[in-house]
Amino acid sequence: MSAAVSQTLIVAPEQSDAYPTIGAALSAAADGATVSVAPGTYYEALYVNDSNLTIVAAQGAGTVIVDASASTSHPAASCRNGRLELRDLVLRCGGAPAVSVGRSRLTVTGCELTSDGGPAVDVRDGSELTLRGCRIRAADGPAVAVGDGCRGSVTDCRVEASVDPAVAVAPGGHLSTRPLRDGSGTPAGTRRPPAVIAAVLLMVPAALTWLVAGIGFTVATYRAEGDPKWLLWIVALAILALCLLITFVTVIGIWLAWTGDSQILRGPAGITVALFLITLIMLLVRGRLHFERTMLTPLVVGALATVAIALLRSGPAKAWFRAHSGT
């Protein structure tokens, strides 16, 4: 029994036995077909629905331009309920994404994707994306936008976007983005939002405070007099161990937050905020605002940690963390 031969359709406007446009070839293509496009600029938008099709530049990267830049609402290429593979194409669009998919599987290799409005690649409705060796530009949004329930990878691509993060992943979506580079060739997404920078800096005093508190209590115990001294030492060593643990976790959390994961830092930040609240409650119980030296430090450091948590939960910070951790 012979194996099925996949269909290949040729697009070449100046060739009599070929299709004049990519759209005409797509309309005639059977499921699983490949559309091979001759060099040139094609002013059209491509639609693939309920089909599995491949569109490829016949003579390699950069030789075929699909220009839909005059459109303000239609992507240069779109796919619904199907599978679409794009290879070595240049796709340009005006007020819509260069490529948009829904309930589909999209594979893009060696392409250049440019959009003047919104994301260059828009992945929605549980779609799966695979991008390799592409150049992606978005003049008014992220380079790649991935919706809830979507997944995939962006590998060895160069991105240029007007916003941070360059790759925006909605809650419930998952996207691997390494290695990803920006227009200058440096890792993309390294421009941290001000909220992330501020949150990390605000937690540095907390780490120092917990360290000093543990050491200070131990020194005070050493200088204390009276019995039973051994009981004081047990308490002092327990507090020292706790403070060192919180200091260590805070330092690790600061480093991870700086590199793209805020989960660990939220723990020590929450403990520091709790210390702040306890101090406030003590003031309220007293019935008057009587500041003592021992209260000033937890109030200040706790207030800074409260602001840090708010910044970590801000929209720009959460988007940046999702882009780096894929969660």
Side-chain angles (χ1 to χ4, degrees), residues 39-131:
T41 300
Y42 297 81
Y43 296 96
E44 55 182 309
L46 313 180
Y47 302 93
V48 175
N49 297 314
D50 305 301
S51 297
N52 172 17
L53 297 176
T54 298
I55 307 173
V56 58
Q59 295 187 22
T63 61
V64 173
I65 299 173
V66 179
D67 192 340
S69 57
S71 172
T72 59
S73 58
H74 298 288
S78 62
C79 182
R80 295 293 179 272
N81 302 311
R83 298 180 63 177
L84 175 61
E85 182 175 355
L86 305 171
R87 294 203 303 263
D88 298 333
L89 303 174
V90 178
L91 296 105
R92 300 171 181 167
C93 200
V99 181
S100 176
V101 294
R103 297 186 296 275
S104 301
R105 180 174 295 179
L106 173 66
T107 301
V108 187
T109 306
C111 292
E112 182 177 320
L113 313 171
T114 302
S115 173
D116 293 331
V121 180
D122 190 41
V123 183
R124 301 295 171 193
D125 301 326
S127 296
E128 182 176 341
L129 169 68
T130 304
L131 269 167

Side-chain angles (χ1 to χ4, degrees), residues 305-324:
T306 303
V307 176
I309 288 181
L311 292 173
L312 291 173
R313 293 178 176 175
S314 66
K318 289 168 69 174
W320 188 78
F321 288 130
R322 283 197 301 269
H324 281 70

Side-chain angles (χ1 to χ4, degrees), residues 29 38 92 110 123 125 165 182 207 248 254 265 280 287 304 312-313 325:
R92 300 171 181 167
V123 183
D125 301 326
D182 63 20
F248 175 76
I254 288 173
L265 188 58
L280 283 180
L304 295 179
L312 291 173
R313 293 178 176 175
S325 63

